[in-house]
Amino acid sequence: MAKIESIEMALDITITVNGKAPKNSKEQSISFEGGDADYWHLYPLFEKLVKETGEMIDLYADSEFSNGSLLKLRQLLVGELERVKAQKEIQWSVYTGTQLQPEKMDIFKVLTRKDVIQKLEKWVSMIDIANKTNEKIICLGD
């Protein structure tokens, strides 16, 4: 089997502290890696979000959500959370990219419903904290 080499881009999502990125806040942050199935599962939602707020949750760039855009983010995440909770599958395959060498091949990774639910619930909770404390949700891409 061919070894797949890739550069994994990371995305950290956190709550600001006094309007700025905190130094280290694992309790109130979530992360995605570029090859993670959860990021690519949520990607259509991120595309919808950019159309509605002008902000894209991207592996390569930063974005910021406050006030109306924060509420729109919450609305979309809650909708996805409800959809995932209602589905019957406990796991499914998600397209995460294409290997080009030594031969072209689509790459799929398994995503579990439990993992998606946990991440979405934490993210919604972070948004609720940001709303209560008048802070922002920031997304820091590599």
Side-chain angles (χ1 to χ4, degrees):
M1 175 153 243
K3 180 180 176 185
I4 299 173
E5 293 186 32
S6 65
I7 298 172
E8 296 293 325
M9 301 305 296
L11 172 67
D12 294 317
I13 301 172
T14 191
I15 304 170
T16 59
V17 175
N18 297 321
K20 298 185 180 176
K23 296 250 190 250
N24 188 356
S25 178
K26 296 257 186 226
E27 315 81 48
Q28 293 187 355
S29 68
I30 58 174
S31 294
F32 292 98
E33 296 295 326
D36 285 353
D38 54 1
Y39 177 82
W40 294 107
H41 168 80
L42 294 171
Y43 192 79
L45 182 118
F46 301 157
E47 288 179 317
K48 184 176 183 179
L49 186 65
V50 74
K51 289 177 185 172
E52 296 184 22
T53 68
E55 292 287 344
M56 177 68 177
I57 297 173
D58 191 294
L59 295 169
Y60 304 100
D62 298 345
S63 56
E64 178 180 291
F65 297 88
S66 63
N67 303 319
S69 66
L70 189 58
L71 294 176
K72 181 47 98 174
L73 173 60
R74 186 183 192 286
Q75 178 186 13
L76 291 173
L77 293 176
V78 167
E80 180 62 12
L81 179 59
E82 290 170 357
R83 190 189 71 73
V84 171
K85 282 182 175 181
Q87 76 182 37
K88 293 179 182 172
E89 299 87 4
I90 59 169
Q91 66 181 30
W92 59 95
S93 293
V94 176
Y95 171 77
T96 61
T98 302
Q99 169 187 302
L100 298 176
Q101 297 292 329
E103 65 185 74
K104 188 174 180 181
M105 179 175 76
D106 288 341
I107 301 167
F108 292 85
K109 291 190 179 173
V110 174
L111 182 61
T112 66
R113 183 175 61 197
K114 177 184 170 189
D115 291 342
V116 175
I117 289 170
Q118 286 177 340
K119 191 167 266 187
L120 288 172
E121 285 176 340
K122 183 173 182 180
W123 201 349
V124 170
S125 174
M126 289 167 46
I127 291 170
D128 291 342
I129 292 167
N131 274 325
K132 286 179 188 172
T133 59
N134 201 29
E135 292 289 349
K136 303 171 189 171
I137 294 288
I138 54 173
C139 307
L140 306 170
D142 277 342

